[in-house]
Amino acid sequence: MLFAGSLLTAPSAQAEETPPTEAELLAKCDNGTKKCVFHPSGPLVEVAGERRKVGDEAYNCTPRLQRSGITWSDTVEETNSVGTSTTVGAGFGGPLSISITTSFETTWKSAKTESATTFIDVRPYQIGWLERTPDMQKVQGTYELIFEDHFKGHRYWYVPFEATGPLETSSMAQRSRPMTEEEKANHC
């Protein structure tokens, strides 16, 4: 956490208080601040999200190639360096996401849910499944908070901030492997 010591005048009794956490400060954005602005340190960067299995597994207990439909739903949420978005008020449409949206003139999403039924081909005596990798956007920068009155001894606070939020796109992959004897006994 950065403090703007050069912008302060005489120390006060409040200055000796325990400094607020980054989450406490960000919760004050548009809720006690005169100004709360995000200053990006670079452009939005697209990154691959965490790859994960979605839907149930499909078991092919036949000696022929089998097509199976897997129904799945997956929600991807924003993460940030301060903590959960609900704790700091950074949910969709909240002051923090609005500030990021304003900085880049593009929508910043805090969550995205995608659902579908995807058909996969599973080879004889194998297990098939789907893996989804959501496309994400990442940003780094600093929130500048200016208070009308002193907050915890200071009028100016700066909070380093990094966030990753979902885009509209993702990639899917089909995976399979041979069943074990135990899996054959349990599912076939």
Short mmCIF file of all heavy atoms in Angstrom, two decimals, residues 33-98:
data_model
loop_
_atom_site.label_atom_id
_atom_site.label_comp_id
_atom_site.label_asym_id
_atom_site.label_seq_id
_atom_site.Cartn_x
_atom_site.Cartn_y
_atom_site.Cartn_z
N THR A 33 -15.72 8.95 -0.58
CA THR A 33 -14.61 9.63 -1.26
C THR A 33 -15.14 10.76 -2.13
O THR A 33 -16.26 10.72 -2.63
CB THR A 33 -13.83 8.67 -2.18
OG1 THR A 33 -14.72 8.10 -3.14
CG2 THR A 33 -13.13 7.59 -1.39
N LYS A 34 -14.30 11.77 -2.30
CA LYS A 34 -14.59 12.85 -3.24
C LYS A 34 -14.23 12.39 -4.65
O LYS A 34 -14.86 12.76 -5.63
CB LYS A 34 -13.76 14.07 -2.85
CG LYS A 34 -13.95 15.29 -3.72
CD LYS A 34 -13.28 16.49 -3.09
CE LYS A 34 -12.07 16.89 -3.90
NZ LYS A 34 -11.43 18.11 -3.41
N LYS A 35 -13.20 11.52 -4.71
CA LYS A 35 -12.72 11.03 -6.00
C LYS A 35 -12.17 9.62 -5.80
O LYS A 35 -11.45 9.35 -4.83
CB LYS A 35 -11.63 11.96 -6.51
CG LYS A 35 -11.05 11.60 -7.85
CD LYS A 35 -10.00 12.64 -8.25
CE LYS A 35 -9.35 12.30 -9.56
NZ LYS A 35 -8.31 13.25 -9.91
N CYS A 36 -12.51 8.73 -6.72
CA CYS A 36 -11.98 7.37 -6.72
C CYS A 36 -11.75 7.00 -8.18
O CYS A 36 -12.70 6.74 -8.91
CB CYS A 36 -12.95 6.39 -6.06
SG CYS A 36 -12.33 4.70 -6.03
N VAL A 37 -10.50 7.02 -8.61
CA VAL A 37 -10.17 6.83 -10.02
C VAL A 37 -9.13 5.74 -10.16
O VAL A 37 -8.16 5.68 -9.40
CB VAL A 37 -9.62 8.15 -10.62
CG1 VAL A 37 -9.24 7.96 -12.08
CG2 VAL A 37 -10.64 9.26 -10.49
N PHE A 38 -9.34 4.89 -11.17
CA PHE A 38 -8.36 3.85 -11.49
C PHE A 38 -7.40 4.38 -12.54
O PHE A 38 -7.81 4.89 -13.58
CB PHE A 38 -9.08 2.60 -12.01
CG PHE A 38 -8.14 1.49 -12.37
CD1 PHE A 38 -7.43 0.81 -11.40
CD2 PHE A 38 -7.94 1.13 -13.69
CE1 PHE A 38 -6.56 -0.22 -11.72
CE2 PHE A 38 -7.08 0.11 -14.03
CZ PHE A 38 -6.38 -0.57 -13.04
N HIS A 39 -6.11 4.27 -12.26
CA HIS A 39 -5.06 4.68 -13.20
C HIS A 39 -4.35 3.42 -13.67
O HIS A 39 -3.54 2.85 -12.93
CB HIS A 39 -4.06 5.63 -12.53
CG HIS A 39 -4.69 6.88 -12.01
ND1 HIS A 39 -5.12 7.90 -12.84
CD2 HIS A 39 -4.98 7.28 -10.75
CE1 HIS A 39 -5.63 8.87 -12.10
NE2 HIS A 39 -5.56 8.52 -10.83
N PRO A 40 -4.65 2.95 -14.89
CA PRO A 40 -3.99 1.73 -15.38
C PRO A 40 -2.51 1.97 -15.62
O PRO A 40 -2.10 3.06 -16.00
CB PRO A 40 -4.72 1.43 -16.69
CG PRO A 40 -5.38 2.70 -17.10
CD PRO A 40 -5.59 3.52 -15.86
N SER A 41 -1.71 0.94 -15.38
CA SER A 41 -0.27 1.04 -15.64
C SER A 41 0.07 0.45 -17.01
O SER A 41 1.22 0.40 -17.39
CB SER A 41 0.52 0.33 -14.54
OG SER A 41 0.17 -1.02 -14.47
N GLY A 42 -0.93 0.02 -17.74
CA GLY A 42 -0.73 -0.54 -19.08
C GLY A 42 -2.08 -0.91 -19.67
O GLY A 42 -3.12 -0.69 -19.05
N PRO A 43 -2.07 -1.50 -20.87
CA PRO A 43 -3.33 -1.86 -21.53
C PRO A 43 -3.95 -3.12 -20.93
O PRO A 43 -3.30 -3.87 -20.19
CB PRO A 43 -2.90 -2.12 -22.97
CG PRO A 43 -1.48 -2.61 -22.83
CD PRO A 43 -0.90 -1.83 -21.67
N LEU A 44 -5.23 -3.34 -21.26
CA LEU A 44 -5.86 -4.62 -20.94
C LEU A 44 -5.12 -5.71 -21.72
O LEU A 44 -4.81 -5.53 -22.89
CB LEU A 44 -7.32 -4.64 -21.38
CG LEU A 44 -8.33 -3.91 -20.51
CD1 LEU A 44 -9.69 -3.88 -21.20
CD2 LEU A 44 -8.45 -4.57 -19.17
N VAL A 45 -4.84 -6.80 -21.06
CA VAL A 45 -4.12 -7.91 -21.70
C VAL A 45 -5.02 -9.14 -21.68
O VAL A 45 -5.61 -9.46 -20.65
CB VAL A 45 -2.80 -8.21 -20.95
CG1 VAL A 45 -2.07 -9.38 -21.57
CG2 VAL A 45 -1.92 -6.98 -20.90
N GLU A 46 -5.15 -9.80 -22.83
CA GLU A 46 -5.93 -11.04 -22.88
C GLU A 46 -5.05 -12.20 -22.44
O GLU A 46 -3.91 -12.32 -22.87
CB GLU A 46 -6.47 -11.28 -24.28
CG GLU A 46 -7.59 -10.33 -24.64
CD GLU A 46 -8.28 -10.68 -25.95
OE1 GLU A 46 -8.23 -11.86 -26.36
OE2 GLU A 46 -8.86 -9.76 -26.54
N VAL A 47 -5.60 -13.03 -21.54
CA VAL A 47 -4.88 -14.21 -21.03
C VAL A 47 -5.84 -15.39 -21.01
O VAL A 47 -7.06 -15.21 -20.97
CB VAL A 47 -4.30 -13.97 -19.61
CG1 VAL A 47 -3.25 -12.88 -19.62
CG2 VAL A 47 -5.40 -13.63 -18.61
N ALA A 48 -5.28 -16.58 -21.04
CA ALA A 48 -6.10 -17.79 -20.91
C ALA A 48 -6.45 -17.99 -19.45
O ALA A 48 -5.60 -17.84 -18.57
CB ALA A 48 -5.35 -18.99 -21.45
N GLY A 49 -7.69 -18.34 -19.19
CA GLY A 49 -8.11 -18.64 -17.84
C GLY A 49 -7.68 -20.04 -17.44
O GLY A 49 -6.98 -20.74 -18.19
N GLU A 50 -8.14 -20.46 -16.29
CA GLU A 50 -7.82 -21.79 -15.79
C GLU A 50 -8.61 -22.84 -16.56
O GLU A 50 -9.85 -22.76 -16.66
CB GLU A 50 -8.17 -21.86 -14.30
CG GLU A 50 -7.91 -23.19 -13.67
CD GLU A 50 -8.37 -23.23 -12.21
OE1 GLU A 50 -8.33 -22.18 -11.55
OE2 GLU A 50 -8.76 -24.32 -11.77
N ARG A 51 -7.92 -23.83 -17.09
CA ARG A 51 -8.60 -24.93 -17.81
C ARG A 51 -9.23 -25.84 -16.77
O ARG A 51 -8.62 -26.18 -15.76
CB ARG A 51 -7.58 -25.70 -18.65
CG ARG A 51 -8.23 -26.82 -19.44
CD ARG A 51 -7.26 -27.52 -20.33
NE ARG A 51 -6.19 -28.09 -19.51
CZ ARG A 51 -5.08 -28.58 -20.01
NH1 ARG A 51 -4.85 -28.55 -21.29
NH2 ARG A 51 -4.17 -29.10 -19.21
N ARG A 52 -10.48 -26.23 -17.04
CA ARG A 52 -11.15 -27.12 -16.09
C ARG A 52 -12.15 -28.01 -16.80
O ARG A 52 -12.67 -27.67 -17.86
CB ARG A 52 -11.83 -26.31 -15.01
CG ARG A 52 -12.81 -25.29 -15.52
CD ARG A 52 -13.33 -24.53 -14.31
NE ARG A 52 -14.02 -23.34 -14.61
CZ ARG A 52 -13.49 -22.12 -14.57
NH1 ARG A 52 -12.24 -21.96 -14.31
NH2 ARG A 52 -14.22 -21.07 -14.80
N LYS A 53 -12.42 -29.13 -16.15
CA LYS A 53 -13.39 -30.10 -16.67
C LYS A 53 -14.79 -29.55 -16.44
O LYS A 53 -15.09 -28.99 -15.38
CB LYS A 53 -13.22 -31.42 -15.92
CG LYS A 53 -14.16 -32.50 -16.38
CD LYS A 53 -13.94 -33.77 -15.56
CE LYS A 53 -15.15 -34.63 -15.65
NZ LYS A 53 -15.80 -34.94 -14.44
N VAL A 54 -15.65 -29.68 -17.47
CA VAL A 54 -17.04 -29.25 -17.33
C VAL A 54 -17.95 -30.42 -17.72
O VAL A 54 -17.62 -31.22 -18.58
CB VAL A 54 -17.36 -28.01 -18.20
CG1 VAL A 54 -16.63 -26.79 -17.69
CG2 VAL A 54 -17.06 -28.24 -19.67
N GLY A 55 -19.07 -30.51 -17.04
CA GLY A 55 -20.02 -31.58 -17.33
C GLY A 55 -19.58 -32.92 -16.78
O GLY A 55 -18.55 -33.06 -16.14
N ASP A 56 -20.41 -33.94 -17.05
CA ASP A 56 -20.13 -35.30 -16.59
C ASP A 56 -19.24 -36.03 -17.59
O ASP A 56 -19.11 -35.61 -18.74
CB ASP A 56 -21.44 -36.08 -16.42
CG ASP A 56 -22.29 -35.53 -15.29
OD1 ASP A 56 -21.71 -35.03 -14.30
OD2 ASP A 56 -23.53 -35.60 -15.40
N GLU A 57 -18.69 -37.12 -17.14
CA GLU A 57 -17.91 -37.97 -18.03
C GLU A 57 -18.85 -38.87 -18.83
O GLU A 57 -19.94 -39.20 -18.38
CB GLU A 57 -16.95 -38.84 -17.22
CG GLU A 57 -15.90 -38.01 -16.49
CD GLU A 57 -15.08 -38.83 -15.51
OE1 GLU A 57 -15.61 -39.82 -14.96
OE2 GLU A 57 -13.92 -38.48 -15.29
N ALA A 58 -18.42 -39.25 -20.04
CA ALA A 58 -19.20 -40.16 -20.90
C ALA A 58 -18.43 -41.47 -20.99
O ALA A 58 -17.25 -41.48 -21.36
CB ALA A 58 -19.39 -39.55 -22.28
N TYR A 59 -19.09 -42.58 -20.63
CA TYR A 59 -18.47 -43.91 -20.65
C TYR A 59 -18.96 -44.67 -21.88
O TYR A 59 -20.16 -44.79 -22.08
CB TYR A 59 -18.84 -44.69 -19.38
CG TYR A 59 -18.26 -44.09 -18.12
CD1 TYR A 59 -18.92 -43.06 -17.46
CD2 TYR A 59 -17.06 -44.56 -17.60
CE1 TYR A 59 -18.39 -42.50 -16.30
CE2 TYR A 59 -16.53 -44.00 -16.45
CZ TYR A 59 -17.19 -42.97 -15.81
OH TYR A 59 -16.66 -42.41 -14.67
N ASN A 60 -18.04 -45.18 -22.66
CA ASN A 60 -18.41 -46.00 -23.81
C ASN A 60 -18.10 -47.45 -23.46
O ASN A 60 -16.94 -47.87 -23.43
CB ASN A 60 -17.65 -45.60 -25.07
CG ASN A 60 -18.07 -46.41 -26.27
OD1 ASN A 60 -18.87 -47.35 -26.18
ND2 ASN A 60 -17.51 -46.08 -27.42
N CYS A 61 -19.14 -48.22 -23.20
CA CYS A 61 -18.99 -49.63 -22.82
C CYS A 61 -19.23 -50.55 -24.01
O CYS A 61 -19.55 -51.73 -23.84
CB CYS A 61 -19.97 -49.95 -21.69
SG CYS A 61 -19.64 -49.05 -20.17
N THR A 62 -19.10 -50.04 -25.22
CA THR A 62 -19.35 -50.84 -26.41
C THR A 62 -18.06 -51.00 -27.22
O THR A 62 -17.11 -50.25 -27.02
CB THR A 62 -20.41 -50.16 -27.31
OG1 THR A 62 -19.83 -49.01 -27.92
CG2 THR A 62 -21.64 -49.76 -26.51
N PRO A 63 -18.04 -51.95 -28.14
CA PRO A 63 -16.86 -52.13 -28.99
C PRO A 63 -16.83 -51.17 -30.19
O PRO A 63 -15.98 -51.29 -31.07
CB PRO A 63 -16.97 -53.59 -29.45
CG PRO A 63 -18.43 -53.90 -29.40
CD PRO A 63 -18.99 -53.06 -28.28
N ARG A 64 -17.77 -50.20 -30.22
CA ARG A 64 -17.84 -49.26 -31.34
C ARG A 64 -17.68 -47.81 -30.84
O ARG A 64 -17.96 -47.51 -29.69
CB ARG A 64 -19.19 -49.38 -32.03
CG ARG A 64 -19.41 -50.71 -32.66
CD ARG A 64 -20.61 -50.68 -33.58
NE ARG A 64 -20.71 -51.96 -34.25
CZ ARG A 64 -21.73 -52.77 -34.13
NH1 ARG A 64 -22.77 -52.44 -33.41
NH2 ARG A 64 -21.73 -53.93 -34.76
N LEU A 65 -17.28 -46.94 -31.75
CA LEU A 65 -17.22 -45.50 -31.46
C LEU A 65 -18.63 -45.04 -31.09
O LEU A 65 -19.60 -45.44 -31.73
CB LEU A 65 -16.72 -44.75 -32.71
CG LEU A 65 -16.48 -43.26 -32.54
CD1 LEU A 65 -15.29 -43.01 -31.59
CD2 LEU A 65 -16.19 -42.63 -33.90
N GLN A 66 -18.72 -44.23 -30.05
CA GLN A 66 -20.03 -43.80 -29.58
C GLN A 66 -20.04 -42.29 -29.42
O GLN A 66 -19.12 -41.71 -28.85
CB GLN A 66 -20.34 -44.47 -28.24
CG GLN A 66 -21.73 -44.21 -27.73
CD GLN A 66 -21.97 -44.98 -26.44
OE1 GLN A 66 -21.23 -44.80 -25.48
NE2 GLN A 66 -22.99 -45.83 -26.44
N ARG A 67 -21.09 -41.66 -29.91
CA ARG A 67 -21.27 -40.21 -29.75
C ARG A 67 -22.16 -39.97 -28.54
O ARG A 67 -23.23 -40.57 -28.41
CB ARG A 67 -21.90 -39.61 -30.99
CG ARG A 67 -22.17 -38.11 -30.83
CD ARG A 67 -22.35 -37.46 -32.14
NE ARG A 67 -21.01 -37.32 -32.71
CZ ARG A 67 -20.72 -36.55 -33.72
NH1 ARG A 67 -21.65 -35.84 -34.31
NH2 ARG A 67 -19.50 -36.47 -34.19
N SER A 68 -21.68 -39.10 -27.65
CA SER A 68 -22.43 -38.79 -26.43
C SER A 68 -22.59 -37.28 -26.31
O SER A 68 -21.67 -36.52 -26.65
CB SER A 68 -21.69 -39.30 -25.19
OG SER A 68 -21.59 -40.69 -25.21
N GLY A 69 -23.74 -36.86 -25.80
CA GLY A 69 -23.98 -35.45 -25.52
C GLY A 69 -23.69 -35.16 -24.06
O GLY A 69 -24.21 -35.84 -23.18
N ILE A 70 -22.87 -34.16 -23.80
CA ILE A 70 -22.55 -33.76 -22.43
C ILE A 70 -23.13 -32.37 -22.21
O ILE A 70 -22.75 -31.41 -22.89
CB ILE A 70 -21.03 -33.77 -22.17
CG1 ILE A 70 -20.48 -35.19 -22.32
CG2 ILE A 70 -20.71 -33.19 -20.79
CD1 ILE A 70 -18.97 -35.29 -22.15
N THR A 71 -24.05 -32.26 -21.27
CA THR A 71 -24.63 -30.97 -20.90
C THR A 71 -23.79 -30.39 -19.77
O THR A 71 -23.49 -31.08 -18.80
CB THR A 71 -26.09 -31.13 -20.48
OG1 THR A 71 -26.82 -31.71 -21.58
CG2 THR A 71 -26.72 -29.80 -20.11
N TRP A 72 -23.42 -29.13 -19.94
CA TRP A 72 -22.54 -28.50 -18.94
C TRP A 72 -22.90 -27.03 -18.75
O TRP A 72 -23.55 -26.41 -19.59
CB TRP A 72 -21.08 -28.63 -19.36
CG TRP A 72 -20.78 -28.04 -20.72
CD1 TRP A 72 -20.89 -28.68 -21.93
CD2 TRP A 72 -20.41 -26.70 -21.01
NE1 TRP A 72 -20.58 -27.81 -22.94
CE2 TRP A 72 -20.27 -26.59 -22.41
CE3 TRP A 72 -20.15 -25.59 -20.22
CZ2 TRP A 72 -19.90 -25.41 -23.04
CZ3 TRP A 72 -19.78 -24.40 -20.84
CH2 TRP A 72 -19.65 -24.33 -22.24
N SER A 73 -22.47 -26.50 -17.63
CA SER A 73 -22.61 -25.08 -17.31
C SER A 73 -21.37 -24.67 -16.54
O SER A 73 -20.89 -25.42 -15.68
CB SER A 73 -23.86 -24.84 -16.47
OG SER A 73 -24.02 -23.47 -16.20
N ASP A 74 -20.83 -23.50 -16.85
CA ASP A 74 -19.60 -23.06 -16.20
C ASP A 74 -19.67 -21.55 -15.97
O ASP A 74 -20.03 -20.79 -16.88
CB ASP A 74 -18.39 -23.40 -17.09
CG ASP A 74 -17.07 -23.17 -16.40
OD1 ASP A 74 -16.98 -23.32 -15.16
OD2 ASP A 74 -16.10 -22.81 -17.10
N THR A 75 -19.36 -21.12 -14.76
CA THR A 75 -19.32 -19.71 -14.41
C THR A 75 -17.89 -19.30 -14.11
O THR A 75 -17.20 -19.97 -13.34
CB THR A 75 -20.21 -19.41 -13.18
OG1 THR A 75 -21.55 -19.78 -13.50
CG2 THR A 75 -20.16 -17.95 -12.79
N VAL A 76 -17.46 -18.21 -14.72
CA VAL A 76 -16.13 -17.66 -14.50
C VAL A 76 -16.32 -16.31 -13.83
O VAL A 76 -17.12 -15.49 -14.29
CB VAL A 76 -15.36 -17.49 -15.83
CG1 VAL A 76 -13.98 -16.94 -15.57
CG2 VAL A 76 -15.28 -18.80 -16.57
N GLU A 77 -15.60 -16.08 -12.74
CA GLU A 77 -15.75 -14.84 -11.98
C GLU A 77 -14.46 -14.04 -11.99
O GLU A 77 -13.39 -14.57 -12.18
CB GLU A 77 -16.17 -15.15 -10.55
CG GLU A 77 -17.52 -15.82 -10.46
CD GLU A 77 -17.95 -16.11 -9.04
OE1 GLU A 77 -17.09 -16.36 -8.18
OE2 GLU A 77 -19.16 -16.07 -8.80
N GLU A 78 -14.63 -12.76 -11.73
CA GLU A 78 -13.49 -11.86 -11.61
C GLU A 78 -12.67 -12.22 -10.37
O GLU A 78 -13.22 -12.67 -9.36
CB GLU A 78 -14.00 -10.42 -11.45
CG GLU A 78 -12.92 -9.44 -11.09
CD GLU A 78 -13.46 -8.14 -10.50
OE1 GLU A 78 -14.68 -7.96 -10.42
OE2 GLU A 78 -12.62 -7.33 -10.10
N THR A 79 -11.38 -12.05 -10.47
CA THR A 79 -10.51 -12.14 -9.30
C THR A 79 -9.69 -10.86 -9.26
O THR A 79 -9.49 -10.21 -10.28
CB THR A 79 -9.55 -13.35 -9.38
OG1 THR A 79 -8.73 -13.22 -10.54
CG2 THR A 79 -10.30 -14.66 -9.43
N ASN A 80 -9.25 -10.49 -8.07
CA ASN A 80 -8.38 -9.32 -7.97
C ASN A 80 -7.41 -9.48 -6.82
O ASN A 80 -7.54 -10.39 -6.00
CB ASN A 80 -9.20 -8.03 -7.87
CG ASN A 80 -10.07 -7.98 -6.63
OD1 ASN A 80 -9.58 -8.02 -5.52
ND2 ASN A 80 -11.38 -7.91 -6.83
N SER A 81 -6.43 -8.62 -6.78
CA SER A 81 -5.35 -8.72 -5.82
C SER A 81 -5.76 -8.36 -4.40
O SER A 81 -5.03 -8.60 -3.46
CB SER A 81 -4.18 -7.83 -6.25
OG SER A 81 -4.60 -6.48 -6.34
N VAL A 82 -6.96 -7.79 -4.24
CA VAL A 82 -7.40 -7.36 -2.92
C VAL A 82 -8.22 -8.42 -2.22
O VAL A 82 -8.20 -8.54 -1.01
CB VAL A 82 -8.18 -6.03 -3.03
CG1 VAL A 82 -8.75 -5.62 -1.71
CG2 VAL A 82 -7.26 -4.95 -3.57
N GLY A 83 -8.94 -9.22 -2.96
CA GLY A 83 -9.78 -10.24 -2.35
C GLY A 83 -11.02 -10.45 -3.19
O GLY A 83 -11.05 -10.09 -4.36
N THR A 84 -12.06 -10.98 -2.58
CA THR A 84 -13.27 -11.25 -3.35
C THR A 84 -13.94 -9.95 -3.76
O THR A 84 -13.90 -8.97 -3.04
CB THR A 84 -14.26 -12.09 -2.53
OG1 THR A 84 -14.61 -11.37 -1.37
CG2 THR A 84 -13.67 -13.43 -2.16
N SER A 85 -14.54 -9.96 -4.93
CA SER A 85 -15.13 -8.73 -5.46
C SER A 85 -16.29 -8.23 -4.61
O SER A 85 -16.50 -7.05 -4.52
CB SER A 85 -15.57 -8.93 -6.90
OG SER A 85 -16.46 -10.00 -7.01
N THR A 86 -17.02 -9.14 -3.95
CA THR A 86 -18.13 -8.67 -3.13
C THR A 86 -17.63 -7.93 -1.90
O THR A 86 -18.26 -7.00 -1.44
CB THR A 86 -19.02 -9.84 -2.69
OG1 THR A 86 -18.22 -10.83 -2.07
CG2 THR A 86 -19.75 -10.44 -3.86
N THR A 87 -16.47 -8.32 -1.39
CA THR A 87 -15.92 -7.66 -0.20
C THR A 87 -15.57 -6.21 -0.48
O THR A 87 -15.78 -5.34 0.33
CB THR A 87 -14.66 -8.40 0.30
OG1 THR A 87 -15.02 -9.74 0.60
CG2 THR A 87 -14.08 -7.76 1.53
N VAL A 88 -15.01 -5.96 -1.67
CA VAL A 88 -14.57 -4.61 -1.96
C VAL A 88 -15.54 -3.85 -2.84
O VAL A 88 -15.24 -2.76 -3.32
CB VAL A 88 -13.16 -4.60 -2.62
CG1 VAL A 88 -12.14 -5.17 -1.69
CG2 VAL A 88 -13.16 -5.35 -3.94
N GLY A 89 -16.72 -4.40 -3.08
CA GLY A 89 -17.71 -3.69 -3.87
C GLY A 89 -17.37 -3.61 -5.34
O GLY A 89 -17.77 -2.68 -6.02
N ALA A 90 -16.61 -4.58 -5.85
CA ALA A 90 -16.21 -4.51 -7.25
C ALA A 90 -17.10 -5.34 -8.15
O ALA A 90 -16.71 -5.70 -9.23
CB ALA A 90 -14.76 -4.98 -7.39
N GLY A 91 -18.28 -5.66 -7.69
CA GLY A 91 -19.18 -6.47 -8.50
C GLY A 91 -19.59 -5.74 -9.78
O GLY A 91 -19.34 -4.56 -9.94
N PHE A 92 -20.22 -6.46 -10.68
CA PHE A 92 -20.62 -5.89 -11.96
C PHE A 92 -21.45 -4.63 -11.73
O PHE A 92 -22.43 -4.64 -11.01
CB PHE A 92 -21.42 -6.92 -12.77
CG PHE A 92 -21.78 -6.42 -14.13
CD1 PHE A 92 -20.82 -6.32 -15.11
CD2 PHE A 92 -23.07 -6.05 -14.42
CE1 PHE A 92 -21.14 -5.86 -16.38
CE2 PHE A 92 -23.41 -5.60 -15.67
CZ PHE A 92 -22.45 -5.49 -16.65
N GLY A 93 -21.03 -3.54 -12.33
CA GLY A 93 -21.73 -2.28 -12.19
C GLY A 93 -21.35 -1.51 -10.94
O GLY A 93 -21.80 -0.40 -10.75
N GLY A 94 -20.52 -2.07 -10.07
CA GLY A 94 -20.07 -1.36 -8.88
C GLY A 94 -19.05 -0.30 -9.24
O GLY A 94 -18.60 -0.20 -10.37
N PRO A 95 -18.66 0.53 -8.27
CA PRO A 95 -17.74 1.63 -8.57
C PRO A 95 -16.39 1.18 -9.13
O PRO A 95 -15.81 1.87 -9.96
CB PRO A 95 -17.57 2.35 -7.24
CG PRO A 95 -18.07 1.41 -6.20
CD PRO A 95 -19.04 0.48 -6.87
N LEU A 96 -15.89 0.04 -8.70
CA LEU A 96 -14.58 -0.39 -9.20
C LEU A 96 -14.66 -0.86 -10.64
O LEU A 96 -13.82 -0.52 -11.46
CB LEU A 96 -13.99 -1.48 -8.31
CG LEU A 96 -13.75 -1.07 -6.86
CD1 LEU A 96 -13.06 -2.18 -6.10
CD2 LEU A 96 -12.96 0.21 -6.75
N SER A 97 -15.69 -1.65 -10.98
CA SER A 97 -15.80 -2.10 -12.37
C SER A 97 -16.14 -0.94 -13.29
O SER A 97 -15.68 -0.89 -14.43
CB SER A 97 -16.81 -3.23 -12.51
OG SER A 97 -18.09 -2.81 -12.11
N ILE A 98 -16.91 0.03 -12.81
CA ILE A 98 -17.20 1.22 -13.61
C ILE A 98 -15.91 1.99 -13.88
O ILE A 98 -15.66 2.46 -14.98
CB ILE A 98 -18.25 2.11 -12.92
CG1 ILE A 98 -19.63 1.43 -12.97
CG2 ILE A 98 -18.31 3.50 -13.56
CD1 ILE A 98 -20.69 2.10 -12.15
#
